[in-house]
Amino acid sequence: MEIILSGFVLGIMGSVHCAGMCGPIALSLPLYGKGAVAKVSGGLMYNIGRTVTYGIMGAFFGIIGQGLSLVGFQQWVSVIMGALMIASVLIPSLFKNVNGANIPIAGLIRKGIQKLFVKKSFGRLFFIGLLNGLLPCGLVYLAIAGAIGTGDVTTGTLFMVLFGLGTLPLMLGISLIGNLVGLKVRDRINKLIPVLVVVIGVIFMLRGLSLGIPYLSPPETKLNPQVHMKHEEGVANEAVKGACCHAEEE
């Protein structure tokens, strides 16, 4: 549970970063309808679209993590993903091009978003959000690393969905009112984001190390029960075979 909630906290704190990266899109959204209810509904459609994309990413990368878990690599995956999160803060030069703003697909996504801006409708706002969620973003990549580290498709999906929901309040506010957060407040929160990323990275590493700490670092049998059950079944089968062979010899 603490892993899933860390995705939500990362989204809340990281939404300030999102405001800087995707704020121009949120500010210029073609909100549909008249009146506060219609405007809020339009803003929600955009943010729900982003969250759906994050959820799909969480499912996809959660499957990868689950596949690694089934072959017994779950602990190492969790440790490595946590280490990458910490390294992204301590050695930022290694990840200086992580946003990939100049890659061709980013340009195609932006062109798709621009075309959707031509007409106003709730459906178009939803699809703008879907495409916006695909734009290269270092913070999203960190969340994806977390989804892989969960080692489970359901947990990975929930991690990314809660990450998206964490970004929703500020991004919705920006699309409705404009820049809600002043530069000084934004700078202060931006300074806290690296600390949060390191904390989440440490949580993932502790989880993978299986130190037996309740909730924070569960034992291997709870972290990867499927592999443990298969191992026990194998041991039981070998014991049965051995007993049968011994009986036949007698």
Side-chain angles (χ1 to χ4, degrees):
M1 179 61 72
E2 70 281 355
I3 293 294
I4 297 175
L5 291 178
S6 67
F8 184 66
V9 175
L10 179 63
I12 291 175
M13 298 294 291
S15 60
V16 177
H17 170 82
C18 295
M21 296 292 293
C22 302
I25 294 177
L27 282 169
S28 57
L29 281 177
L31 296 181
Y32 179 68
K34 296 180 179 180
V37 174
K39 300 295 184 185
V40 171
S41 299
L44 284 173
M45 290 301 292
Y46 161 73
N47 284 285
I48 290 173
R50 287 192 310 110
T51 303
V52 168
T53 295
Y54 295 149
I56 294 171
M57 288 180 177
F60 177 78
F61 289 101
I63 289 173
I64 294 176
Q66 185 168 313
L68 294 170
S69 175
L70 290 174
V71 295
F73 293 152
Q74 169 56 28
Q75 289 177 275
W76 285 108
V77 170
S78 188
V79 171
I80 291 171
M81 292 299 104
L84 284 175
M85 290 182 180
I86 296 172
S88 70
V89 173
L90 300 181
I91 319 174
S93 59
L94 295 177
F95 304 85
K96 59 183 179 180
N97 296 320
V98 74
N99 284 329
N102 296 322
I103 63 176
I105 192 172
L108 293 174
I109 293 171
R110 290 192 179 91
K111 287 181 180 179
I113 292 174
Q114 289 173 358
K115 290 180 180 179
L116 290 170
F117 268 65
V118 176
K119 293 182 180 179
K120 295 182 178 181
S121 72
F122 290 128
R124 284 175 177 265
L125 287 167
F126 177 77
F127 280 106
I128 289 171
L130 283 177
L131 290 176
N132 194 172
L134 294 172
L135 286 174
C137 173
L139 190 68
V140 174
Y141 296 157
L142 288 173
I144 287 173
I148 296 173
T150 63
D152 179 74
V153 59
T154 302
T155 309
T157 302
L158 288 174
F159 183 91
M160 290 297 290
V161 167
L162 285 176
F163 168 76
L165 292 177
T167 66
L168 190 150
L170 182 59
M171 295 301 292
L172 176 61
I174 287 175
S175 64
L176 295 174
I177 305 174
N179 197 336
L180 291 177
V181 182
L183 288 176
K184 290 184 178 180
V185 177
R186 187 185 303 177
D187 288 340
R188 289 176 183 175
I189 297 178
N190 276 330
K191 290 179 181 178
L192 291 176
I193 292 176
V195 177
L196 175 64
V197 171
V198 170
V199 170
I200 294 176
V202 170
I203 290 174
F204 270 94
M205 291 188 71
L206 288 174
R207 183 172 182 265
L209 292 173
S210 298
L211 300 176
I213 304 172
Y215 303 107
L216 188 61
S217 186
E220 184 181 357
T221 53
K222 289 187 177 181
L223 180 65
N224 206 345
Q226 291 174 314
V227 173
H228 184 70
M229 287 176 63
K230 286 183 178 180
H231 175 70
E232 288 186 339
E233 288 175 0
V235 172
N237 289 336
E238 289 297 325
V240 171
K241 289 179 181 179
C244 291
C245 292
H246 181 70
E248 288 178 359
E249 290 176 357
E250 291 180 350

